[in-house]
Amino acid sequence: MASYQHILLDRAGATARITMNRPSRRNSLSEDHLRELLDAVRSVAATDATGLVLAAAGPVFSAGHDFGDVSARDLLGVRELLAVCTELMRALQSAPQVVVARVHSLATAAGCQLVASCDLAVAAESAGFALPGGNGGWFCHTPSVPVARAIGRKRLMEMALTGDPVDARTALEWGLVNRVVPDDELDAAVDELLARATRGSRASKALGKRTLYAQLDRPEADAYALALEVMAAASQLPDAREGMAAFLEKRRPTWTN
């Protein structure tokens, strides 16, 4: 399997595993990290693997977009970054493999988007989920697209507007994850669910998955097109720049409006 800087890619039997391995940056999603994830997903999609596990190393599953990367970009640059991110989310759903998110800890913003974009998700009891842009300067427009489709409008509005995290049990009740298990049982639960979800014909399963997304999420491409443009433009607003600067400088933000 290929080697990468920010992720690990390996395979055991019929299951491939992508592990985000940028713990010092809380697995935040810089463009380089996103492109590695996209390349790895596409590489796995071209193999005869039947399952793909998306996991993460370190104390955080993913903190979302890397503000150090975003804050250095102009409008066109942020638009390009978000386009790569959207490509990744759609690649997870178009891959013929059954994709399971293994969520061991906090998944925020685009990290939560990753979880919602996987076919299935298993969370440890210590995991949490948040769309924190609602209490900052840069709203979670694109992360809200798949999260809304997983949990519904009112719950999405609560997550997106408050920015408050929800615990794993709430995420289960709301439909963002399929299972919540004790932390030390996470790997076994992922393996068990994946084994059941990959039974039967691989070709039939791949066609079935593609058709399910086509009928369930038909408006998603339009939603992403809108959200991408709005989020890219919003990245250039004063409060968005201030929010990212405050995060990077480890200080409280000063909002202008």
Side-chain angles (χ1 to χ4, degrees):
M1 306 294 275
S3 60
Y4 299 93
Q5 179 182 358
H6 301 302
I7 67 174
L8 303 174
L9 174 60
D10 56 65
R11 179 169 170 175
T15 300
R17 176 181 291 256
I18 298 172
T19 303
M20 293 182 284
N21 191 34
R22 205 176 175 222
S24 64
R25 298 290 294 174
R26 297 160 61 93
N27 292 315
S28 58
L29 301 172
S30 65
E31 182 176 353
D32 287 346
H33 190 174
L34 286 168
R35 288 194 181 278
E36 287 191 0
L37 285 168
L38 179 58
D39 183 80
V41 171
R42 287 175 171 169
S43 295
V44 171
T47 72
D48 62 352
T50 59
L52 171 60
V53 175
L54 178 62
V60 174
F61 178 81
S62 176
H65 287 296
D66 186 331
F67 281 179
D69 189 358
V70 179
S71 63
R73 294 170 179 262
D74 60 10
L75 172 60
L76 294 178
V78 177
R79 183 180 289 148
E80 179 181 356
L81 175 70
L82 295 176
V84 175
C85 185
T86 300
E87 279 188 77
L88 169 60
M89 304 304 162
R90 298 192 68 79
L92 289 166
Q93 296 184 345
S94 63
Q97 289 79 18
V98 177
V99 183
V100 181
R102 176 195 181 276
V103 191
H104 70 292
S105 56
L106 186 63
T108 68
C112 190
Q113 183 181 6
L114 274 174
V115 176
S117 297
C118 291
D119 304 322
L120 303 167
V122 181
E125 288 181 338
S126 60
F129 305 85
L131 299 176
N135 57 25
W138 193 32
F139 201 81
C140 289
H141 300 277
T142 51
S144 294
V145 174
V147 175
R149 284 155 175 75
I151 68 176
R153 292 187 180 188
K154 296 298 185 185
R155 289 164 174 167
L156 179 278
M157 285 295 187
E158 180 175 341
M159 288 189 71
L161 294 176
T162 67
D164 294 336
V166 298
D167 61 27
R169 290 292 172 187
T170 301
L172 176 64
E173 178 186 344
W174 287 5
L176 186 58
V177 301
N178 299 85
R179 301 280 188 282
V180 173
V181 297
D183 290 26
D184 60 357
E185 298 176 15
L186 182 57
D187 287 320
V190 169
D191 291 345
E192 187 274 336
L193 180 58
L194 188 59
R196 290 193 295 110
T198 53
R199 290 178 298 195
S201 164
R202 179 183 182 276
S204 174
K205 192 90 64 176
L207 177 59
K209 173 180 165 176
R210 185 164 68 245
T211 305
L212 283 173
Y213 280 119
Q215 71 172 12
L216 291 174
D217 291 337
R218 199 140 190 86
E220 187 175 278
D222 294 339
Y224 263 123
L226 173 63
L228 187 156
E229 290 299 324
V230 174
M231 192 167 182
S235 72
Q236 304 303 301
L237 295 175
D239 278 353
R241 311 300 284 189
E242 167 62 12
M244 284 183 266
F247 177 86
L248 293 170
E249 296 164 12
K250 296 180 172 56
R251 60 173 174 79
R252 288 185 177 276
T254 301
W255 307 121
T256 57
N257 55 55

